[in-house]
Amino acid sequence: MATGREIAQLCGVSVATVSRVFNQPETVNEDTRERVLRVAKELDYRPNESARALSTKQSTMIGLVWDTDHRRPGWRHPYLQDLLIGLKSALSAHGYHLLMLATSGDAREVGASLADPVGYVNMTRRHHLGGLVLIDSGSDAEAFGAFAQSGVPCVALDVAVEGPRATYVTSDNAGGARAAVAHLVGLGHSRIATITGPPGNQPSEARLSGYREALRDAGVEPLADYVVAGDFYRASGTAAMQRFLALDEPPTAVFASSDEMAVGALLAARAAGLRVPQDLALVGFDDIEIASVVEPALTTVAQDKPGFGVAAAKAIMAMITGSGPDGPVVLPAQLVVRDSCGARQV
């Protein structure tokens, strides 16, 4: 790979001039700038990002802090995969890149933990990262608050944070849940259960709140036995559905706070001999790919997953440039009616 010194020799300029062409192009006259860029292109020269960050005190790298939680297969959740694609694409359009700062089970064993975010903040400053995107597993919102107060541009996903240069992006989780449960009520159901996400997780709590509000709006008192916590993954949906079916009066409809859990509930219902939607109505949340291909196709609440990442990228770029953002970003969530909720109470 060509070096800046080689480019300088071929163009008859100093190494410092080559550096300014890529870092402060407005300080170099047009003829010299075009000559350097032409030779650099011919030799496939790329500036060293680490050196550029040290010289300019700025970086085109955005740190992604993600506690995947060693107890859960966080990387494999399709919702998060789609979100990251949107985030990466939007940052790339601005010339920025993602640097993963995830913790894992192995990292925890050697003492790396979001319980003490000071090390991550120091690393951000040491490498002159442009900012941080924060994805929470549900147990580290307090640590994320420390990130938000650090003064480093921060955008949290689905975690309400406040700070001098911090904001967050989320969906209308409560509104989406209300729409889902209201739809089930409109089909004639009153025995409606829900499988929530993990306690303390903000989207989970908001969806549970929307579930309860929709039932109360319909004059239906929420029953404690009809609320079972899951973890957004399929196995917990199966376990929750088995608990519902063991009740003396099982529900006729279930709203699951994720499509993965809804599919788990569907499998448990089938194993028990129930038909969906003839015997049980089922609604999920997220609208991941499996929702439209499972049989029957899953009624769900769609989140704008790529748009989520795009909104996060836009917000962090606004903070880097000093133009904002004005406040949290709340994206709409839309009910998508398919085949899994057609049953009516008998």
Side-chain angles (χ1 to χ4, degrees):
M1 182 181 294
T3 66
R5 185 172 299 278
E6 291 174 303
I7 301 297
Q9 291 174 345
L10 290 170
C11 293
V13 299
S14 68
V15 175
T17 297
V18 173
S19 176
R20 288 199 302 273
V21 167
F22 291 96
N23 296 319
Q24 298 173 301
E26 70 281 357
T27 65
V28 182
N29 71 66
E30 185 176 354
D31 289 342
T32 301
R33 185 170 66 245
E34 289 180 353
R35 184 166 71 255
V36 169
L37 291 175
R38 184 179 66 254
V39 173
K41 184 177 180 180
E42 290 172 354
L43 298 181
D44 195 27
Y45 168 75
R46 294 179 178 83
N48 184 295
E49 289 293 337
S50 297
R52 176 187 291 186
L54 288 172
S55 64
T56 65
K57 305 302 181 184
Q58 294 180 335
S59 171
T60 58
M61 301 297 294
I62 301 296
L64 177 64
V65 180
W66 186 1
D67 179 4
T68 59
D69 194 327
H70 66 290
R71 297 164 297 178
R72 300 189 182 103
W75 287 105
R76 296 200 297 271
H77 199 290
Y79 168 76
L80 294 173
Q81 292 173 9
D82 289 345
L83 184 155
L84 287 175
I85 289 172
L87 175 63
K88 180 180 180 298
S89 297
L91 287 175
S92 295
H94 291 281
Y96 279 73
H97 312 280
L98 281 176
L99 175 66
M100 184 63 65
L101 305 175
T103 65
S104 65
D106 292 339
R108 289 170 188 272
E109 291 173 5
V110 297
S113 172
L114 289 182
D116 180 13
V118 174
Y120 282 107
V121 173
N122 288 341
M123 181 168 59
T124 298
R125 290 170 173 156
R126 186 167 63 251
H127 292 284
H128 306 289
L129 297 183
L132 293 171
V133 176
L134 312 175
I135 300 181
D136 179 36
S137 68
S139 59
D140 295 298
E142 183 176 351
F144 282 11
F147 282 111
Q149 291 298 321
S150 71
V152 176
C154 291
V155 175
L157 307 183
D158 275 334
V159 182
V161 296
E162 295 181 358
R165 302 178 73 189
T167 190
Y168 63 94
V169 180
T170 190
S171 292
D172 183 7
N173 292 291
R178 280 196 304 271
V181 177
H183 181 70
L184 292 170
V185 170
L187 292 173
H189 294 279
S190 59
R191 303 207 310 268
I192 304 173
T194 187
I195 308 171
T196 75
N201 176 276
Q202 293 186 12
S204 172
E205 298 291 344
R207 293 170 198 177
L208 177 59
S209 176
Y211 160 82
R212 288 172 170 159
E213 289 172 8
L215 290 184
R216 289 180 178 135
D217 288 345
V220 177
E221 184 63 28
L223 300 179
D225 287 344
Y226 282 3
V227 178
V228 173
D231 61 5
F232 291 136
Y233 295 94
R234 193 173 305 177
S236 69
T238 297
M241 191 70 234
Q242 291 169 342
R243 287 181 58 179
F244 292 145
L245 295 177
L247 296 173
D248 292 337
E249 193 172 39
T252 63
V254 173
F255 164 60
S257 286
S258 78
D259 291 342
E260 283 268 311
M261 294 193 299
V263 171
L266 173 63
L267 296 176
R270 282 181 175 168
L274 296 181
R275 300 166 301 165
V276 176
Q278 292 87 347
D279 303 318
L280 176 74
L282 192 59
V283 180
F285 204 110
D286 287 337
D287 197 25
I288 59 177
E289 184 178 6
I290 196 173
S292 62
V293 298
V294 72
E295 179 61 38
L298 186 64
T299 294
T300 185
V301 178
Q303 299 193 79
D304 183 1
K305 297 175 288 297
F308 213 108
V310 170
K314 182 178 180 180
I316 202 163
M317 293 307 303
M319 283 186 286
I320 290 172
T321 60
S323 59
D326 295 330
V329 180
V330 180
L331 301 176
Q334 181 178 2
L335 180 67
V336 178
V337 177
R338 298 192 177 103
D339 300 328
S340 67
C341 62
R344 285 172 171 77
Q345 183 167 349
V346 296

